[in-house]
Amino acid sequence: MPNLPKIEPDYLTEFLVDLLNIPSPTGYTEEAIAFVEKELSAYPQLELSRTRKGALVAVWEGAKSDSPRALTAHVDTLGAMVKEIKTIGETKRSKGRLSITRIGGLLLPAVETEGCWVHTGRGEQIRGSLLVNTASAHVHGAKAYETRRDEDGMEIRLDARVSSLQDVLDLGIRVGDFVSFDPRVELTNGFIRSRFLDDKACVAAIATAIKSLADSGNAPAQTTYFHISNYEEVGHGASAGIPADVHELVTVDMAAVGNGQESDEFHATLCVKDSGGPYHHGLSNKLRELADQYEIPYKVDIYPYYGSDGEAFWRAGGDVAVALIGPGVDASHNYERTHTEALVATTNWILAYLLS
Ligand SMILES: [Zn+2]
C-alpha cells in the first residue's frame, strides 16, 4: 500500500470544535468564514479570496494544471430568524416572546428547549431558549404533548425582562434578526456529538488534509480550488465560485446514517445517488479505486432525502464531473454524532485524491 502523508487527528478535532462553536446559520456566516480563512492563511501555498456572495476560495497551484479540480464543503448551518415579536398571544405570557422562521431543514422538535442567541442588528447577542408555547406542565397539562412542534407552536423565551413589544425593541431585537442554536459539542470515546457536524466536520477534514499536505512538503497533483460554501443549506451554495476551467468537483459532505443505510459513523462514504440523481460515474469510480488502493475504510451508499452543493453547481450550469464523499453522521439535522475514525477516513480520502 502506498503511504499518504500523516494527518494530525488532534488538529482535526480542535479545528472542528472551534468551528462548531462559532454560530453560522445560512446568511450569517462571516465569522465562520473568517475563522477558516485565518487557519488557511498559514499556508503560503494557498491563494485566498472571497466570492461576492461571501464564500471562501483557496487555490493551490498543482504540479500540473491541465485538469484543475475543486473540493467544496459548507460552513453554513441550520438556524432561524425572528419572524415576529409577539404582542398578543393566546396568553398574556406570550407578550415579548419571539416567533421564528426556520433556515434550511431545521427540525424544530430537535431544538425544543435548546439555548439560542438572537444576533441583533447592532451586533449584540441576546440569550434565550426555544420552547413549545404550552411548555409548563402545571399550567397546560396534557396540552404540552399535543401542541405541534412547528413554527406556530414554538417560541423563543428571552433571558431578559421583557413583557411588551417596546421592551424587546429596546434590546435591539428586530424582525429578521438571525437566531443560532447551541451546538452542544461533546467528545466521548472518539465520538463527536454535536449539532451542525453537517458540514463543519468536512470543512475540518479539508483543512486537516491541506495541513498534512503542506507540512509534508507536498503539493496537489493538479491545481485545486477549495471552495468553502456559505449557502448550502438553502440549496445554492456552490452555484457560484467554482471557476469554469475546473474539470472535477468533489463535494465533501456528511453521509446519511440510519435505517436502510450502508453508511456508519466509522467509515467515509461515497454517495452514488441522492435526491438529485446519480453522481458522475467516472469520478465516483476513481474515488473508489483510490480508497481501495490506500485501504481507506469506506462504504458506498444512496441518500434518500439529500441534495448537495455539487448538484447546486450542476444546476447552475457547471460542466464538471461531480462526486460526493463524507463521514457518516448519525441523526442528521438533529443532534448529530460521528466518530473520529470516519473523519480520519474522509481526510485520508481527500489526501489520496489531491495526490492522485
Ligand atoms: Zn451538508
Side-chain angles (χ1 to χ4, degrees):
M1 183 186 74
N3 280 331
L4 289 171
K6 282 257 172 300
I7 64 162
E8 289 180 39
D10 289 349
Y11 174 79
L12 197 160
T13 311
E14 278 166 35
F15 181 107
L16 176 55
V17 170
D18 287 349
L19 183 57
L20 286 166
N21 281 312
I22 299 173
S24 58
T26 309
Y28 192 77
T29 53
E30 172 54 34
E31 201 187 331
I33 288 283
F35 169 81
V36 180
E37 189 175 46
K38 186 166 175 288
E39 289 290 318
L40 297 188
S41 69
Y43 312 107
Q45 300 93 326
L46 297 177
E47 193 188 311
L48 302 176
S49 62
R50 302 268 193 113
T51 68
R52 293 183 200 101
K53 192 163 142 181
L56 177 68
V57 179
V59 56
W60 192 342
E61 210 176 302
K64 290 202 280 181
S65 58
D66 56 326
S67 177
R69 298 163 173 174
L71 287 101
T72 187
H74 64 96
V75 290
D76 64 306
T77 71
L78 310 174
M81 288 168 109
V82 176
K83 171 67 177 67
E84 183 190 354
I85 301 166
K86 294 187 180 181
T87 50
I88 28 170
E90 286 167 47
T91 61
K92 200 169 120 210
R93 191 192 62 112
S94 288
K95 287 182 183 173
R97 301 215 169 184
L98 310 175
S99 68
I100 59 166
T101 180
R102 298 178 307 142
I103 294 174
L106 181 74
L107 282 174
L108 284 172
V111 281
E112 182 175 0
T113 77
E114 189 57 277
C116 63
W117 296 104
V118 179
H119 303 268
T120 73
R122 56 187 192 215
E124 287 164 350
Q125 297 187 1
I126 312 295
R127 192 70 177 150
S129 52
L130 184 74
L131 297 167
V132 67
N133 297 348
T134 51
S136 172
H138 299 94
V139 175
H140 300 285
K143 252 193 171 177
Y145 285 103
E146 292 155 12
T147 304
R148 283 182 65 90
R149 272 58 177 170
D150 60 15
E151 289 174 355
D152 291 331
M154 302 181 87
E155 61 191 11
I156 290 177
R157 174 186 65 188
L158 295 167
D159 297 330
R161 290 191 173 217
V162 287
S163 55
S164 70
L165 172 64
Q166 195 55 51
D167 290 344
V168 177
L169 293 175
D170 287 347
L171 291 172
I173 291 174
R174 299 289 183 275
V175 167
D177 285 349
F178 284 95
V179 174
S180 62
F181 294 96
D182 292 355
R184 259 198 294 146
V185 189
E186 225 176 286
L187 309 180
T188 310
N189 297 330
F191 286 100
I192 301 164
R193 171 157 47 82
S194 177
R195 300 185 190 287
F196 317 131
L197 290 170
D198 173 13
D199 185 28
K200 290 176 170 176
C202 298
V203 177
I206 287 178
T208 306
I210 289 173
K211 178 175 171 50
S212 153
L213 207 58
D215 290 353
S216 62
N218 283 288
Q222 286 282 348
T223 293
T224 304
Y225 296 85
F226 301 93
H227 177 270
I228 307 301
S229 174
N230 62 335
Y231 277 94
E232 193 276 349
E233 290 293 0
V234 294
H236 59 75
S239 62
I242 312 265
D245 64 336
V246 162
H247 285 51
E248 295 174 350
L249 171 61
V250 174
T251 310
V252 191
D253 208 336
M254 52 140 282
V257 173
N259 286 346
Q261 296 300 106
E262 285 288 312
S263 305
D264 67 33
E265 294 161 273
F266 312 102
H267 290 75
T269 295
L270 172 77
C271 175
V272 290
K273 177 181 181 288
D274 64 16
S275 307
Y279 283 88
H280 190 271
H281 192 51
L283 183 54
S284 295
N285 277 345
K286 177 176 170 179
L287 288 161
R288 226 191 273 230
E289 281 160 23
L290 284 170
D292 288 335
Q293 189 185 342
Y294 288 97
E295 294 178 12
I296 293 163
Y298 76 105
K299 304 272 187 179
V300 177
D301 211 353
I302 289 168
Y303 308 153
Y305 302 99
Y306 197 104
S308 79
D309 247 347
E311 288 160 339
F313 187 55
W314 262 348
R315 289 208 173 82
D319 181 20
V320 289
V322 176
L324 171 61
I325 60 170
V329 169
D330 186 57
S332 56
H333 287 197
N334 207 307
Y335 195 14
E336 299 168 347
R337 196 184 69 171
T338 190
H339 193 278
T340 317
E341 284 178 20
L343 300 179
V344 167
T346 303
T347 307
N348 280 327
W349 212 345
I350 294 168
L351 267 177
Y353 176 65
L354 291 174
L355 289 167
S356 67

